[in-house]
Amino acid sequence: MSLVDNNTATPPLTVAKFGGTSVADFTAMSRSAAIIKHSPDTRVVLISACSGVTNLLVELANGISEPDRRQQLLQRLGEIHYGVIKELRSSEPVSSAVNVLLDSVSTLAAQAAKQPNVKLTDQLVSHGELLSTHLFTQILKEMGVDATRFDIRDIMRTDSQFGKAIPQPEDIRQLATARLQPLLKNQVVVSQGFIGSDSQGETTTLGRGGSDYSAALVAEAVNATTLEIWTDVPGMYTTDPRIAPAAKPIKEISFSEASEMANFGAKILHPSTLVPAIRQQIPVFIGSSKEPEQGGTWIRESVNEAPLFRALALRCNQTMVTLTSLNMFHAYGFLAEVFRILAEHKISVDLITTSEVSVSLTLDQTDTGGGAPTLPEAAVEALDKLCRVDVEQGLCLVALIGNQMSSTKGSAKRVFNTLEDYNLRMICYGASPHNLCFLVKEQDARSVIQELHQNIFE
Ligand code: ADP
Ligand code: ASP
Ligand code: MG
C-alpha cells in the first residue's frame, strides 16, 4: 500500500509511529510491520510500549512495597514480552536483551518500593519502549526488511523535567543529522517514542501519550515529507467513536483545526504533536494499523473544505478556580495581581472568563499525567489575602471545533438549544474562530457529547 500525499515535495521520506495497540502482541506487531514493508518511503519508525505496559511500569514506579503484588506485575510484564518472543523464528539475541531489561525493571521497582522519585520513574517507565523496539525490529527483520534498532536517547535531547520533559528541537536536529540521518540510506530505523535524555544523559519522558510528539520531533529533525500516526482507529473522527459510535472519520483537516482537537483532549493525538509538523509544514496521516485499507485522515496546512462545525473534543479532570472580590468592581490592577501570584507559583492557566467582580479559570493539566490539577497551598494562601477562592473539580471541558464559528450567525444558538437541559459553565466563545468550549459536570459529559454530536453531525 502506498500513501502518496500530492502536496509533499520530493525526495519522499516518511516517519511512522505505531501506538501501543498497534504493537500489543505478535499479531499486531506483524500487521504493523507489513505496513512498513509495503511503504518504501518509511525510513524511521517510532513505536510505543506494548499496550498496557506503561501502566504496569507506572504502578511499579509509584512504589509497591508488597513483594507479592510487585512479583505479579513483573510476571505480567514477562508474559507480554515472552508472548511475542515465542512466535519469533529466531529468538536469540532478542530474548537475552529482553531478559536484561526485565531484570533491570525488577531492580528499579525494588528501589522505587523503598523510595519512589521522578527520575527513577522515568528510568523505569522507559523500559516499555526499550523492550518493544527489540521485539519489533526482529519481526521486521524476519519479514525481510533491513531494519536496525536505534536508541532514541542518542538524539531526543530534552530538559530535565522528569515526567514531562521539554524537547530541545535545535539540539535534536543537530544530533539527528550526525547520528540518525546516515543510517537512513540503507536501513529502516526502529526507535522508541516517549523517551528522551537530558544533557547529563539521564533518561526522561515526554509525558503520557508522548510518542506522537516524539515522532513529530524526529520528522522535523530529519526533514521528513510525511508523518504517519498508526493507531487503532482509521483516522480522526468527528468525536471519540468510543463515546459516540455514529462518529465519522474526517478525510482531511487543517493544522489549526486538528491542533485545537489535540489541545482540547482528543486522545488520538498528544497535544504537542502538531507543533513540529506545523513548524516544518509536514503533512500528517492518521490511520488504523488493523485496517490500513480503510485509509484515514490527512492533516495539512490548507484543505478543500472548512465546514462551520468540524468535530467535538472532550477533556475531563478539569479544575475550575473562581476568584471573587468586591474590590474588583470598577477597579484596576486586580487581575494583574491575580496573575502575578499565579505566575509566581508557576501555575499555567487554560481557560478564563470574567465578570465584574469575579474571574473563573481552569488550571492547565498538561503536567498532571491526566489527573485533575490542584492549586498549591502557598498559592491559595496568597490568593486568599486578595479575594475569595473557590475550587471545583469533577468537571469536563467540551470543545466544539470548526471554522468562522464566532462570525457565523446562529452557530451558538444551535449548540445551546441542543443543551438546554444541562448546566453549562465557563463558556468561552469568540477568542478563536475555531472553537466554542464550556465546562459540564463529569456525569453529564458523555450525554452532552452524544446529544451535540447527534444534532450537529448526524
Ligand atoms: P495509541 O495507543 O495508538 O496512541 P490512543 O489510545 O492514544 O492510541 O488514541 C486512539 C484513541 O483515541 C481511539 O481509540 C479513540 O478512542 C480516541 N479518540 C479520542 N478522540 C478521537 C477522535 N476525535 N477521533 C478518533 N479517535 C479519538
Ligand atoms: N507508552 C507511553 C504511554 O503509554 C507513550 C505512548 O504510548 O505514547 O503513555
Ligand atoms: Mg496515544
Side-chain angles (χ1 to χ4, degrees):
M1 189 202 46
S2 158
L3 291 167
V4 179
D5 177 25
N6 294 328
N7 284 0
T8 60
T10 48
L13 191 162
T14 298
V15 172
K17 176 257 170 176
F18 292 83
T21 46
S22 302
V23 293
D25 51 26
F26 181 78
T27 312
M29 284 195 182
S30 302
R31 270 195 304 253
S32 298
I35 292 173
I36 297 162
K37 185 177 160 90
H38 295 114
S39 160
D41 296 342
T42 301
R43 312 304 301 163
V44 187
V45 178
L46 258 60
I47 66 170
S48 294
C50 304
S51 186
V53 165
T54 308
N55 287 347
L56 289 172
L57 292 169
V58 168
E59 204 177 332
L60 287 168
N62 287 342
I64 299 176
S65 45
E66 206 210 311
D68 279 356
R69 174 71 186 141
R70 216 160 66 218
Q71 207 44 49
Q72 229 176 20
L73 299 186
L74 292 170
Q75 194 180 333
R76 181 75 201 112
L77 280 176
E79 283 162 9
I80 293 171
H81 297 97
Y82 286 117
V84 179
I85 289 178
K86 75 175 173 29
E87 304 289 339
L88 295 173
R89 279 207 301 276
S90 106
S91 53
E92 276 293 333
V94 176
S95 58
S96 337
V98 165
N99 284 339
V100 170
L101 286 167
L102 289 174
D103 283 349
S104 158
V105 169
S106 171
T107 310
L108 294 168
Q111 284 175 27
K114 288 199 193 98
Q115 192 157 34
N117 69 70
V118 281
K119 196 160 144 185
L120 183 60
T121 297
D122 274 3
Q123 219 186 332
L124 187 43
V125 164
S126 71
H127 282 66
E129 274 71 9
L130 295 173
L131 282 158
S132 64
T133 39
H134 273 294
L135 303 173
F136 194 67
T137 309
Q138 182 61 24
I139 289 178
L140 273 170
K141 284 182 181 166
E142 294 191 3
M143 271 189 183
V145 177
D146 189 359
T148 185
R149 181 177 176 275
F150 179 83
D151 192 326
I152 205 71
R153 291 172 296 183
D154 289 346
I155 65 163
M156 187 57 67
R157 180 58 55 80
T158 69
D159 70 2
S160 306
Q161 286 184 57
F162 298 102
K164 183 71 196 169
I166 298 179
Q168 316 287 314
E170 271 315 309
D171 293 343
I172 296 168
R173 178 180 285 282
Q174 276 179 19
L175 291 165
T177 306
R179 299 175 181 178
L180 176 59
Q181 203 91 46
L183 304 176
L184 305 185
K185 275 201 191 79
N186 306 314
Q187 285 181 302
V188 173
V189 171
V190 177
S191 196
Q192 304 81 23
F194 181 52
I195 71 174
S197 91
D198 69 5
S199 57
Q200 308 299 309
E202 299 287 354
T203 299
T204 56
T205 63
L206 308 189
R208 291 305 303 268
S211 294
D212 304 327
Y213 188 24
S214 305
L217 288 160
V218 172
E220 178 184 38
V222 298
N223 298 320
T225 49
T226 305
L227 168 63
E228 292 174 4
I229 306 277
W230 294 97
T231 180
D232 59 354
V233 281
M236 189 178 263
Y237 279 54
T238 46
T239 195
D240 189 339
R242 285 190 218 175
I243 300 177
K248 293 184 195 68
I250 299 165
K251 277 215 118 21
E252 214 190 21
I253 184 169
S254 65
F255 276 138
S256 28
E257 294 166 288
S259 297
E260 301 252 358
M261 284 292 283
N263 276 327
F264 284 113
K267 195 185 168 223
I268 184 114
L269 281 183
H270 179 277
S272 306
T273 312
L274 293 176
V275 176
I278 293 170
R279 271 199 299 255
Q280 194 76 18
Q281 292 292 301
I282 306 168
V284 180
F285 172 83
I286 304 180
S288 160
S289 64
K290 259 192 196 153
E291 310 168 285
E293 69 288 348
Q294 294 268 341
T297 302
W298 278 105
I299 308 173
R300 39 165 95 88
E301 178 64 27
S302 57
V303 291
N304 290 326
E305 278 177 37
L308 178 60
F309 299 125
R310 177 70 90 178
L312 285 163
L314 178 67
R315 187 171 69 194
C316 286
N317 282 318
Q318 297 296 291
T319 301
M320 177 169 92
V321 179
T322 302
L323 307 169
T324 311
S325 167
L326 286 178
N327 297 339
M328 196 173 159
F329 194 62
H330 288 315
Y332 56 84
F334 175 77
L335 284 181
E337 185 56 11
V338 164
F339 281 96
R340 190 196 60 75
I341 294 171
L342 294 173
E344 196 178 297
H345 293 88
K346 296 195 164 59
I347 296 161
S348 162
V349 169
D350 198 21
L351 301 183
I352 170 162
T353 58
T354 61
S355 76
E356 192 58 57
V357 292
S358 68
V359 49
S360 292
L361 40 94
T362 58
L363 303 182
D364 195 345
Q365 198 180 14
T366 43
D367 51 5
T368 61
T374 50
L375 264 187
E377 205 45 51
V380 176
E381 258 172 47
L383 289 167
D384 260 338
K385 291 190 185 127
L386 191 70
C387 54
R388 200 179 78 215
V389 182
D390 295 297
V391 178
E392 244 183 279
Q393 293 189 321
L395 297 163
C396 296
L397 173 67
V398 175
L400 175 62
I401 316 296
N403 293 281
Q404 310 304 331
M405 284 194 295
S406 47
S407 54
T408 305
K409 273 190 199 156
S411 41
K413 185 171 168 223
R414 219 164 131 200
V415 174
F416 296 127
N417 277 358
T418 306
L419 300 175
E420 57 190 4
D421 294 337
Y422 296 95
N423 183 16
L424 313 185
R425 318 281 302 277
M426 262 198 90
I427 299 164
C428 295
Y429 185 43
S432 153
H434 291 297
N435 77 62
L436 183 171
C437 53
F438 49 84
L439 296 176
V440 294
K441 288 211 175 75
E442 205 162 285
Q443 60 267 32
D444 291 339
R446 286 180 80 87
S447 42
V448 163
I449 290 282
Q450 285 157 354
E451 284 178 36
L452 259 184
H453 192 271
Q454 188 172 25
N455 282 311
I456 293 180
F457 295 102
E458 291 170 32

